[in-house]
Amino acid sequence: MKEKGLFHITKQFPAMVWVLIIGVFFSRGTFYMVWPFLAILLYQNFGLNEWEIGLVLTGSALSAVIVGFYSGALTDKVGRKLMLVSAGILSMIAFALMASVNTITGYVVAIALCSISKEIWEPPAKALISDLLPDTTARDYAFQLRYWVVNVGAAVGPLAGVWLGLTAQQSTFNMTAGIFFVLTIAVMYTFKHTAYQATQQHVNTASLRQTCRILLQDHVFLLLILANIIVMFIYSHVDTSLVQYLSREGVPEVIELISVLLFTNAITIIVFQFILMRLMAGWTLNQRIYSGMGLLTLSQLVFALNPIDWYAGWIIAVFILALGESILFPNMNIQIDRIAPPHMKGVYFGAAAFYSIGFAIGPYIGGVILSFLSGPILYGFTFVLGLAVFGLYHLINSAKRPVFDNLATESINGEADLQ
């Protein structure tokens, strides 16, 4: 049968899927006008040092991980609509507060609420996309498209902020609060005018304790969590650790180089994600995952071996990393969608928030290694960790899963192979 194109497939998307995809573009775009410059605001307004700023950001990220798990569990019980509307309202409050606080305590609370509201939003949004698109190919395209627009928002946001003169201005968070107001109204309107019955068809009646027991018995999922925590740890060092490494080594024009690297990362994903998706259309999910992980691991080796003053080498390394990211990260969501029982989509997507642990602790461990050892050793270490992830992915194919029919109301028999 002839492969259907992106346009033909996206015509199948219900209105709610488009609301969630377009909404994440605008919310992330306005968010990234200011968030990357938050460290500058904390330094300029309160004189916080690198360690204190890292503690604030990491603390909020880790608290959000726990909330994300509970949010996922609740979305399978109380329904997607209630969780999305609740997350939208909390996001409005969080970003409005972020735009107006002028004390360090206010910043800490506001940053934590911003992170928490994001993690409450993500599980029901992803689960709802899965519910509304019974066709596997359409679901895969939706998750790919959602990841792509997130990156477009991340790339366009800072540039738009500069053009509008809004970059690094705290009040810009009011725009994000406004976007979430519109998005929440759009979600409520679309639910009201859409014959959506998925939450009634797939309800998890198990208690939180029973749900946790099911997850602990799902060795496939536990291995995925461990492997992808390491993946996020590896990926985290392209940001803070790389900036610190290049700065400590006294690279000339380091700000310009970092700007070029950030642009390279964003534009590579925007240009190549769907090209690579088309090229890999006949590949299994496992093959796509392995290829993306292979590129991510290779990039760490290039980082480790590149001479400090060879600018082209850093660009090549980031280009390879971005190719791997554009393949791997969207397929991480598809992995979860494939293995989660219909009545537990939310809790599986919520538990996937634990991936963020790797991203949260990465800058600290990277800073320690850079302080006491060196950049090549740091990236040599992440290269070895990349090889370890392949070992974990291989174990998934023979890992045990619970028999879901015996543990909860509506379920599927999971397959260890993620194809």
Side-chain angles (χ1 to χ4, degrees), residues 21-22 24-30 32-33 144-160 265-274 325:
I21 290 175
I22 296 172
V24 80
F25 167 74
F26 284 106
S27 62
R28 295 297 173 87
T30 55
Y32 279 108
M33 284 182 184
Q144 293 277 358
L145 184 59
R146 188 177 187 273
Y147 186 77
W148 185 80
V149 300
V150 166
N151 280 281
V152 174
V156 171
L159 295 176
N265 182 268
I267 200 65
T268 300
I269 294 171
I270 292 170
V271 172
F272 286 99
Q273 181 177 330
F274 282 100
E325 176 188 350

Side-chain angles (χ1 to χ4, degrees), residues 95-108:
F95 285 106
L97 183 62
M98 195 73 217
S100 60
V101 293
N102 53 21
T103 66
I104 185 60
T105 301
Y107 262 100
V108 170

Side-chain angles (χ1 to χ4, degrees), residues 104-137:
I104 185 60
T105 301
Y107 262 100
V108 170
V109 173
I111 291 169
L113 287 177
C114 290
S115 299
I116 288 169
S117 62
K118 174 179 175 292
E119 293 301 336
I120 295 176
W121 178 274
E122 288 294 301
K126 293 175 182 177
L128 186 53
I129 289 173
S130 182
D131 293 340
L132 292 171
L133 295 171
D135 179 71
T136 301
T137 302

Side-chain angles (χ1 to χ4, degrees), residues 174-190:
N174 279 321
M175 292 181 62
T176 311
I179 289 294
F180 271 103
F181 172 77
V182 174
L183 182 55
T184 303
I185 296 299
V187 167
M188 295 172 66
Y189 177 86
T190 310

Side-chain angles (χ1 to χ4, degrees), residues 34 42 71-72 108 121 130 184 270 289 297 409:
V34 183
L42 292 173
S71 169
V108 170
W121 178 274
S130 182
T184 303
I270 292 170
I289 291 289
T297 304
T409 53

Side-chain angles (χ1 to χ4, degrees), residues 143-284:
F143 284 121
Q144 293 277 358
L145 184 59
R146 188 177 187 273
Y147 186 77
W148 185 80
V149 300
V150 166
N151 280 281
V152 174
V156 171
L159 295 176
V162 171
W163 183 66
L164 295 169
L166 300 172
T167 297
Q169 291 189 24
Q170 183 182 350
S171 59
T172 307
F173 282 120
N174 279 321
M175 292 181 62
T176 311
I179 289 294
F180 271 103
F181 172 77
V182 174
L183 182 55
T184 303
I185 296 299
V187 167
M188 295 172 66
Y189 177 86
T190 310
F191 262 109
K192 184 177 180 179
H193 293 83
T194 301
Y196 173 63
Q197 302 296 328
T199 50
Q200 285 72 43
Q201 293 171 356
H202 302 301
V203 177
N204 181 16
T205 60
S207 66
L208 181 61
R209 177 178 295 182
Q210 290 172 324
T211 299
C212 290
R213 181 168 60 87
I214 293 171
L215 292 177
L216 290 173
Q217 292 178 21
D218 191 347
H219 296 173
V220 166
F221 186 60
L222 294 179
L223 285 169
L224 272 182
I225 292 289
L226 177 58
N228 291 333
I229 286 175
I230 298 174
V231 169
M232 296 305 294
F233 176 82
I234 294 170
Y235 180 75
S236 70
H237 297 292
V238 74
D239 189 4
T240 308
S241 298
L242 183 60
V243 173
Q244 291 189 65
Y245 174 37
L246 297 176
S247 300
R248 287 165 62 94
E249 294 296 324
V251 174
E253 300 178 345
V254 66
I255 300 299
E256 289 78 2
L257 174 59
I258 294 300
S259 299
V260 170
L261 296 181
L262 291 174
F263 177 78
T264 300
N265 182 268
I267 200 65
T268 300
I269 294 171
I270 292 170
V271 172
F272 286 99
Q273 181 177 330
F274 282 100
I275 294 174
L276 291 169
M277 185 179 176
R278 292 292 296 177
L279 291 174
M280 296 181 174
W283 296 24
T284 66

